[in-house]
Amino acid sequence: MTRRLPSLNALRCFEVVAAQLSIKKAALSLHVSESAVSRQVRILEEQLGTPLFLRTHNGLEITDAGQRLAMGVKEAFDHIARAVDPFQSDRDAVTIKVLPTFALRWLFPRLRAFQAQHPLIKVNVQTRLNDMTLNDTDADLGIRYGIGNWPQDCATELYPEWILPVCAPGYLSGSDCPDGDLDRATLLHPLPDRQDWLTWSEKAGYPLDTRKGLDFDALDMALSAAEAGLGVAMTDVVLAHEALEAGRLVAPMRKAVPTGASYYLVRPPDMRRRRQVKLLDEWICDEIGAARDTVRLYTH
């Protein structure tokens, strides 16, 4: 049977551009240049003889013809994926996007246990300072931080965030802060907005000048500075737990407060989840159960 089909590469590029409505984002997802994506879209438009996008000063707008084609192309690619899925090897990789501190302080120390249980599954961890979005199609799972305003079938709450101050053993009784007073300590801010220290100060009823101290771009950096004895860091209880258990950090005030945010396991909508993805999903949800016990240690 002879089928008249346009370029499959052009169709794939078009599908991603239609989902993102951005040449730049599509290029990042496909790991190619923006000019390559634009060229493939133009090839498809020429082959079909109709414009699929309108180029405006505000960006791309998809045409009616483009919307109809996008629905059909997505359905066709999903059908192909389902057809070949039974032939895929257990060595298929699972890609997960994770915030850097969560990866360093929680996931990486435990990932060897998952690999021991499932040695044929390769886990690719992508660390990103920005959260995974629901439009991401280049990862199977993601760890996201926020207030949970996502569809229930796309997100599972892992644990609510509670924060408290931590420092190296002896820091608050040393020469830098001899009387143990946080007012005289160097505050280590996990993010430049300094919101975590402000939240804790208000909810714990411990007035502090949160304008002072050292700023960092990620919680792991602030925790490493605290372990080095440079000051007191404000931290998520769960992500500091191993350092606390090992004695690298201590909690001078066991008064954790909730931030109102949580960590979530998120999945792209409408993505058919392979067996390997389900196994990693279930393992993370099982492992994180201990995190809730950790929170209770500092809240009761």
Side-chain angles (χ1 to χ4, degrees):
M1 182 184 298
T2 301
R3 293 185 175 89
R4 296 179 58 194
L5 295 174
S7 164
L8 291 180
N9 190 38
L11 285 171
R12 174 59 180 146
C13 287
F14 163 76
E15 180 195 28
V16 179
V17 174
Q20 305 274 10
L21 285 181
S22 167
I23 295 291
K24 181 177 181 179
K25 291 180 180 178
L28 289 172
S29 296
L30 294 167
H31 305 291
V32 297
S33 67
E34 294 179 38
S35 61
V37 173
S38 295
R39 184 168 60 254
Q40 291 300 318
V41 172
R42 285 197 302 272
I43 288 173
L44 185 60
E45 289 178 323
E46 291 170 2
Q47 290 178 340
L48 298 179
T50 186
L52 301 173
F53 299 98
L54 299 176
R55 282 77 172 174
T56 72
H57 66 281
N58 291 323
L60 289 182
E61 293 182 8
I62 194 166
T63 64
D64 290 342
Q67 288 181 333
R68 292 195 300 272
L69 181 62
M71 292 176 61
V73 167
K74 183 180 184 306
E75 183 177 346
F77 278 128
D78 286 347
H79 184 73
I80 292 172
R82 288 192 293 271
V84 302
D85 188 65
F87 302 95
Q88 298 298 309
S89 167
D90 275 351
R91 292 186 181 275
D92 274 358
V94 178
T95 300
I96 180 169
K97 285 188 175 181
V98 187
L99 295 168
T101 299
F102 192 96
L104 291 167
R105 296 276 171 168
W106 190 88
L107 181 60
F108 287 158
R110 293 166 175 78
L111 197 53
R112 183 179 294 181
F114 176 80
Q115 300 281 211
Q117 294 176 35
H118 307 285
L120 298 182
I121 299 177
K122 180 182 178 182
V123 180
N124 292 326
V125 180
Q126 298 180 356
T127 56
R128 295 288 187 272
L129 285 174
N130 296 319
D131 282 334
M132 179 179 179
T133 69
L134 293 181
N135 291 325
D136 285 342
T137 57
D138 57 341
D140 302 293
L141 296 169
I143 303 296
R144 187 168 178 177
Y145 173 81
I147 59 174
N149 52 338
W150 309 293
Q152 289 187 355
D153 59 341
C154 295
T156 299
E157 184 183 32
L158 295 176
Y159 69 90
E161 182 186 48
W162 287 65
I163 57 175
L164 84 168
V166 296
C167 62
Y171 172 77
L172 288 180
S173 59
S175 59
D176 290 332
C177 196
D179 57 2
D181 190 347
L182 286 181
D183 286 317
R184 300 183 60 181
T186 298
L187 304 185
L188 307 177
H189 300 275
L191 292 173
D193 63 11
R194 305 188 172 188
Q195 183 60 48
D196 283 355
W197 268 106
L198 182 60
T199 297
W200 183 85
S201 176
E202 292 176 347
K203 291 190 175 182
Y206 194 109
L208 281 172
D209 181 3
T210 60
R211 295 171 297 176
K212 65 179 182 178
L214 303 177
D215 294 338
F216 298 89
D217 291 324
L219 174 57
D220 180 66
M221 298 173 67
L223 289 175
S224 295
E227 290 174 5
L230 297 183
V232 184
M234 186 55 58
T235 182
D236 173 338
V237 171
V238 172
L239 299 185
H241 180 62
E242 287 202 357
L244 290 164
E245 285 287 289
R248 299 192 305 273
L249 292 172
V250 296
M253 300 181 65
R254 296 176 68 89
K255 192 168 187 178
V257 303
T259 63
S262 295
Y263 281 86
Y264 291 82
L265 181 64
V266 298
R267 315 162 188 87
D270 304 324
M271 177 177 280
R272 178 172 146 74
R273 297 168 65 211
R274 294 173 288 121
R275 184 183 70 86
Q276 296 90 338
V277 177
K278 291 180 181 178
L279 287 171
L280 181 59
D281 184 323
E282 293 167 357
W283 176 81
I284 290 174
C285 290
D286 289 343
E287 282 288 313
I288 208 70
R292 300 185 183 91
D293 296 332
T294 298
V295 169
R296 283 193 284 269
L297 291 175
Y298 297 92
T299 57
H300 291 84

